[in-house]
Amino acid sequence: MGVCTFVRVKPTADFAQDMIKFGPDNKSIDIYIKKDAKKGVVNNRQTAWSFRLDGVLHNTSQELAYETVAEKLVSEALIGYNGTIMCYGQTGAGKTYTMMGATADYKHRGIIPRAIQQVFRASAHSVRVRISYLEIYNETLLDLLSPTMSSRNCDVPMAVVDCPQGVYVKGLSIHSVSHEEDALNLFFEGETNRAIAEHTLNKNSSRSHCIFTIYIEVRSRFRVFSDVKCVNSKINLIDLAGSERLSKTRSEGQVLKEAMYINKSLSFLEQLIIALADPKRDHMPFRQSKLTHVLKDSLGGNCNTVLVANICGEAAHVEETLSSLRFATRIKWITTEPVINETYDQEVWREWEWKMVNRSLVTYDPLTDIQKAEIKSQVHNYLKGDIDEIDIVNVRQVQEVFKQFKLTLSQQEHKVEARLRSKYTLIDKNDFAAVAAIQKAGVVAVDGHLVPEENGQHFGTRTASFSSAHGGKKKSKKNPQRAHGDAISYGCSHVSCCRAEQANLPVSVCVFFEFCCSSPPSKPVAFKQFKEECGSEISRIFKENKSILLARKKRSNTVAQRINFIKREMEGIQEALEAQKWERCQQGEYVDEKGQIIIDEKEFSLIMKLKDLKEEYRSGYAELQDLKAEIQYCQHLVNRCRNRLISEFEIWYNESFLIPEDVREALKPGGNIRPGMIPMNRVMCLEEDEQDRFERMQETTLPACPASVSFYRAKMKMDQKHMYTRTMSALEKIHKKPGLITAGGKNKPLSFLHVT
């Protein structure tokens, strides 16, 4: 199977109609150049060329371009075939627009956002999707999704590594995503970290090659095979930097240096294409550059490969157009051998076979009343903790177990609600009208304090935690007539309640209140809650990295023990050989006709065994060195995750429990905001322009195109992140001005206004 090639012509008002002609089937393109009269009558220079391709895209929309180029490839990736799409051409020809599109407009999005949408639309719950984004800048590998990419510094050196399954980039982060919006967030984040520059032909010229990879893992859709058969594939979406003629771009300085690296890597890529297209060539120069090494699987390997050659239709760029078309023609001669990447878990397969053999023991008759009663009893015992598991034989029992769980939960809810309603009338704490009515009546102040009566008595009592928050040990007077005023704690919320009749209010407005002034939970308790809620994703990544680190350390210890055992065995053989040699010297040595010493069979076997042990020792030592490097890298990731988890928890804890009233008022629109008073990660919430814009767009665009929700949400989050970064930079400049005192003190980062 050959590489599919398409040509996309950049729309222009000065299209050279006399020089560029398209075939009637839109699969061929002809180039005509007039002879230069200045070179004389005898001029044998070629003036006409014809190129046959798989399709020509001229004046086509982004949607049609995707359907023609990528839709089939992505569909085949979902069933296990690897896929690669490359955009190649001169600078300013529309490669980035074809691959990335216009991020501000959903209609004009490119191949990558559309491929993400197709993957998540077609995938079921059994599909796992992961994302990586690699940049090759001046022959340096960079991770566009790394937290340090804002400074364009890489903490861990990256390298292209060959393995039996193909090539991979060591040190490149791969992120799991469960929704289209999450994948688009990563895509937009990587886009902001790309290296771009301006020159004569392009105001936003890409200065690097970028590879956006979607990893797909599909479990079998059949329930019995879900843990047995697994299909793995990946889609490489590559935006190559454009080739440049320095005489036209007039690049200087750093841009000139970047152009030299770009042209050099593209030259190596063309040399590789020529070598792959030649059946007589034995050596393929994949290692000439980082780009050709990364593309080893995509070119001539187990992969469906598509090339989009972007060209300009203007007469001034006809030479670059010819060069791009020649490249596309050469790459068509490359043959690939795509196969489905399937793996099977043999242990699970054998277990499934055993279950199928014993399937005759399972009954499918409806459950009897006795069986239902037995299941109900088991569920109650399980909830009490008397048993650790429930016996399950068939699906009907599973359904009955869930039914009993649902029934038990409903009964408990009704009991709790009835018990509370016997003493109180409950309303939603988000019912601001009722809350305002009680505050207006003077029962409860705005800050959560209960307003005392004229005779000095309180309308109700506060919780113990509320009193302790203010450092006092106030005890409420016992009064049998104010049973409705007793404070209770429901769940994890501190609530206080007052008698409605004492405030001359209807009984229906007696309400539970939850106030920030109540004492915050201890940090260990809050940290556990944070890991289960807001920090669940960071906690999961931390646990995964830690488990990988422990596995690598365990493997390293095993390999080290094996190496030590081999070393001791080698020393024993060395001693045995020395003894054999000494014995041979004592008895006299025998030589053959060529003068070589003759040894006995025992000594020969020791020598061969020593040779094998040395080889095994070298192999084990090399593996140990690789494991040490991996352990160092994993330890680095674990430390970063731990620090991130702690820092995010501190921000969440301070925001959730320690923000004083004046800061809350300052955060409101029109509030008195002062630098250093607001939590730094709240600054991004001061402006609601992006949120307002998204809500307005929901009223206009989304009804006509509901599928664009994930795209615009991801775009909104990225815009908010940029706004936050700009605001942070502005605040740092303000704090660096002389005469101003920073919130956190000299040479310290900004922090919260501490609560005393």
Side-chain angles (χ1 to χ4, degrees):
M1 181 178 179
V3 176
C4 295
T5 56
F6 298 88
V7 172
R8 190 176 193 189
V9 186
K10 181 180 179 181
T12 176
D14 301 323
F15 184 77
Q17 298 181 358
D18 298 335
M19 304 177 69
I20 302 175
K21 303 288 185 181
F22 304 117
D25 58 351
N26 273 338
K27 290 189 176 181
S28 63
I29 181 170
D30 300 324
I31 307 294
Y32 302 95
I33 300 179
K34 294 181 180 180
K35 285 190 176 183
D36 190 358
K38 296 180 181 180
K39 294 187 178 181
V41 178
V42 181
N43 184 1
N44 295 326
R45 184 181 179 184
Q46 186 177 354
T47 58
W49 294 264
S50 181
F51 302 92
R52 186 72 179 175
L53 305 160
D54 293 290
V56 177
L57 305 174
H58 181 46
N59 291 332
T60 55
S61 64
Q62 290 282 71
E63 183 177 2
L64 180 59
Y66 179 79
E67 291 175 355
T68 306
V69 172
E71 190 172 27
K72 180 182 177 182
L73 183 142
V74 175
S75 298
E76 292 182 347
L78 290 169
I79 61 175
Y81 291 98
N82 293 333
T84 296
I85 302 176
M86 288 189 294
C87 286
Y88 176 91
Q90 74 172 103
T91 181
K95 300 179 300 299
T96 301
Y97 179 77
T98 300
M99 187 59 68
M100 315 295 176
T103 56
D105 193 346
Y106 176 78
K107 185 190 300 183
H108 297 151
R109 68 197 190 283
I111 290 176
I112 292 178
R114 293 175 187 270
I116 291 173
Q117 186 180 67
Q118 183 180 347
V119 167
F120 280 98
R121 276 186 175 181
S123 62
H125 297 290
S126 57
V127 176
R128 181 189 179 194
V129 181
R130 296 177 297 159
I131 298 295
S132 69
Y133 209 172
L134 174 69
E135 181 185 51
I136 305 176
Y137 174 76
N138 291 355
E139 279 300 293
T140 303
L141 300 174
L142 298 173
D143 186 358
L144 289 176
L145 301 181
S146 172
T148 60
M149 267 306 297
S150 56
S151 58
R152 300 198 68 79
N153 293 323
C154 186
D155 296 339
V156 180
M158 301 167 64
V160 184
V161 180
D162 290 285
C163 67
Q165 291 76 25
V167 296
Y168 72 97
V169 179
K170 186 177 182 180
L172 179 65
S173 64
I174 301 177
H175 304 260
S176 295
V177 290
S178 55
H179 302 285
E180 177 186 350
E181 183 179 341
D182 299 335
L184 289 173
N185 277 331
L186 294 175
F187 166 64
F188 290 141
E189 180 181 350
E191 275 296 285
T192 59
N193 294 328
R194 290 189 63 177
I196 60 174
E198 180 180 355
H199 55 68
T200 307
L201 299 181
N202 193 352
K203 292 183 179 180
N204 296 304
S205 175
S206 301
R207 313 310 297 164
S208 61
H209 310 297
C210 290
I211 304 174
F212 185 90
T213 306
I214 305 174
Y215 303 85
I216 303 172
E217 180 180 327
V218 184
R219 293 282 178 179
S220 174
R221 294 184 179 180
F222 297 100
R223 180 166 52 89
V224 294
F225 293 102
S226 59
D227 296 327
V228 179
K229 180 181 176 182
C230 180
V231 176
N232 296 280
S233 62
K234 63 180 180 179
I235 307 173
N236 293 317
L237 303 171
I238 305 169
D239 180 22
L240 297 173
S243 58
E244 301 181 13
R245 288 182 182 266
L246 300 181
S247 59
K248 292 185 177 181
T249 59
R250 301 173 186 173
S251 302
E252 296 178 352
Q254 181 65 20
V255 180
L256 175 61
K257 179 182 177 182
E258 293 167 350
M260 293 172 62
Y261 275 103
I262 291 170
N263 290 338
K264 183 179 179 181
S265 64
L266 292 176
S267 297
F268 286 142
L269 177 60
E270 190 161 3
Q271 292 175 18
L272 175 63
I273 298 301
I274 294 173
L276 290 170
D278 186 0
K280 297 181 181 179
R281 287 286 294 269
D282 294 328
H283 173 69
M284 302 302 165
F286 285 108
R287 294 177 177 269
Q288 281 187 314
S289 68
K290 297 288 192 343
L291 175 63
T292 54
H293 200 179
V294 170
L295 296 180
K296 184 176 180 180
D297 292 340
S298 301
L299 300 173
N302 173 23
C303 189
N304 289 319
T305 305
V306 174
L307 174 76
V308 180
N310 294 87
I311 63 174
C312 294
E314 300 172 357
H317 303 295
V318 67
E319 293 182 2
E320 289 81 5
T321 297
L322 281 171
S323 177
S324 298
L325 292 173
R326 290 191 188 102
F327 180 88
T329 304
R330 293 190 187 104
I331 203 172
K332 272 185 67 67
W333 291 100
I334 297 177
T335 58
T336 59
E337 298 177 357
V339 295
I340 296 178
N341 303 293
E342 292 181 348
T343 57
Y344 291 87
D345 191 332
Q346 297 298 330
E347 183 177 349
V348 178
W349 177 265
R350 287 192 295 269
E351 182 180 351
W352 175 81
E353 287 182 333
W354 183 86
K355 288 182 178 179
M356 291 299 294
V357 171
N358 294 275
R359 201 168 180 82
S360 59
L361 302 176
V362 181
T363 60
Y364 295 94
D365 297 330
L367 296 177
T368 63
D369 294 339
I370 298 177
Q371 290 175 324
K372 291 180 180 180
E374 177 64 24
I375 292 175
K376 182 178 180 180
S377 175
Q378 289 189 25
V379 168
H380 283 287
N381 292 333
Y382 178 80
L383 292 175
K384 291 178 182 178
D386 296 338
I387 59 175
D388 295 330
E389 58 184 26
I390 300 174
D391 297 331
I392 297 297
V393 177
N394 55 31
V395 177
R396 285 184 174 82
Q397 286 188 337
V398 175
Q399 295 173 345
E400 183 64 26
V401 166
F402 278 103
K403 182 179 178 181
Q404 292 297 331
F405 273 121
K406 186 176 180 180
L407 181 62
T408 303
L409 177 61
S410 178
Q411 292 173 351
Q412 292 296 327
E413 288 178 348
H414 287 306
K415 287 181 180 179
V416 172
E417 185 176 354
R419 187 164 60 251
L420 292 175
R421 290 191 182 279
S422 64
K423 297 180 64 177
Y424 308 101
T425 300
L426 307 180
I427 65 171
D428 189 356
K429 67 181 180 181
N430 295 321
D431 189 351
F432 298 107
V435 174
I438 295 179
Q439 291 176 349
K440 186 176 180 180
V443 179
V444 180
V446 176
D447 60 354
H449 288 78
L450 294 172
V451 179
E453 296 179 356
E454 294 181 358
N455 59 2
Q457 299 294 327
H458 290 282
F459 285 118
T461 60
R462 292 171 290 174
T463 60
S465 59
F466 181 87
S467 299
S468 62
H470 297 275
K473 296 183 179 179
K474 300 180 180 179
K475 296 183 179 179
S476 301
K477 295 181 179 180
K478 299 295 182 180
N479 189 345
Q481 295 183 355
R482 62 165 185 81
H484 293 286
D486 291 338
I488 67 169
S489 178
Y490 180 63
C492 61
S493 303
H494 299 290
V495 296
S496 63
C497 190
C498 61
R499 293 182 64 189
E501 58 269 23
Q502 289 180 334
N504 296 322
L505 293 173
V507 178
S508 59
V509 298
C510 187
V511 62
F512 285 160
F513 286 103
E514 180 180 356
F515 298 109
C516 296
C517 54
S518 60
S519 63
S522 63
K523 284 197 172 183
V525 175
F527 187 60
K528 184 178 180 181
Q529 179 184 353
F530 172 75
K531 289 192 294 182
E532 294 175 352
E533 298 175 358
C534 301
S536 59
E537 183 64 17
I538 306 174
S539 178
R540 182 188 62 80
I541 296 173
F542 173 72
K543 290 179 180 178
E544 288 182 358
N545 289 337
K546 195 171 182 180
S547 63
I548 294 173
L549 175 62
L550 294 175
R552 294 293 185 274
K553 286 184 176 180
K554 185 176 180 181
R555 176 60 183 168
S556 176
N557 292 334
T558 303
V559 173
Q561 292 176 4
R562 177 60 181 166
I563 290 175
N564 292 332
F565 176 78
I566 294 173
K567 187 176 181 181
R568 290 192 296 270
E569 195 171 356
M570 289 170 57
E571 291 174 353
I573 294 176
Q574 289 279 12
E575 294 176 359
L577 286 174
E578 290 293 334
Q580 287 285 110
K581 185 177 180 181
W582 182 82
E583 184 179 351
R584 189 176 63 247
C585 292
Q586 293 293 327
Q587 296 178 357
E589 296 180 342
Y590 298 92
V591 296
D592 58 6
E593 298 175 352
K594 296 181 180 179
Q596 296 180 350
I597 299 174
I598 299 175
I599 60 176
D600 58 11
E601 184 177 352
K602 182 179 179 181
E603 186 174 356
F604 178 76
S605 63
L606 289 173
I607 293 173
M608 295 303 297
K609 187 175 182 181
L610 180 62
K611 181 180 178 182
D612 294 338
L613 289 174
K614 286 183 177 180
E615 183 66 26
E616 189 176 355
Y617 181 85
R618 284 192 292 267
S619 176
Y621 185 78
E623 183 182 0
L624 183 62
Q625 294 301 315
D626 292 340
L627 285 171
K628 287 182 178 179
E630 291 183 12
I631 289 172
Q632 184 179 3
Y633 174 68
C634 290
Q635 186 66 57
H636 171 76
L637 289 181
V638 169
N639 293 338
R640 274 175 46 186
C641 288
R642 181 185 291 109
N643 295 335
R644 174 78 180 276
L645 184 64
I646 294 173
S647 62
E648 292 287 339
F649 165 71
E650 291 293 339
I651 294 172
W652 173 83
Y653 185 83
N654 288 323
E655 284 189 351
S656 301
F657 304 107
L658 302 182
I659 299 179
E661 179 64 25
D662 52 357
V663 176
R664 292 202 303 273
E665 291 296 327
L667 286 172
K668 295 180 180 179
N672 184 19
I673 301 171
R674 300 185 299 277
M677 180 178 179
I678 311 164
M680 287 299 99
N681 61 329
R682 284 284 190 176
V683 177
M684 61 183 291
C685 299
L686 300 180
E687 297 181 20
E688 295 295 336
D689 296 344
E690 298 299 333
Q691 181 68 32
D692 294 341
R693 189 182 304 123
F694 179 71
E695 292 174 356
R696 289 195 301 272
M697 182 266 302
Q698 280 183 313
E699 298 175 357
T700 56
T701 307
L702 294 186
C705 189
S708 62
V709 174
S710 297
F711 180 88
Y712 282 117
R713 279 180 178 171
K715 183 68 171 59
M716 181 189 67
K717 289 181 180 179
M718 185 53 56
D719 291 341
Q720 286 181 339
K721 186 176 181 180
H722 290 168
M723 181 174 61
Y724 165 68
T725 305
R726 291 194 300 268
T727 308
M728 287 287 292
S729 301
L731 285 175
E732 288 177 0
K733 291 179 181 179
I734 291 174
H735 286 276
K736 288 180 181 179
K737 289 183 179 180
L740 293 177
I741 301 175
T742 60
K746 187 177 180 182
N747 297 328
K748 291 184 179 180
L750 300 175
S751 61
F752 297 100
L753 182 64
H754 297 288
V755 180
T756 58

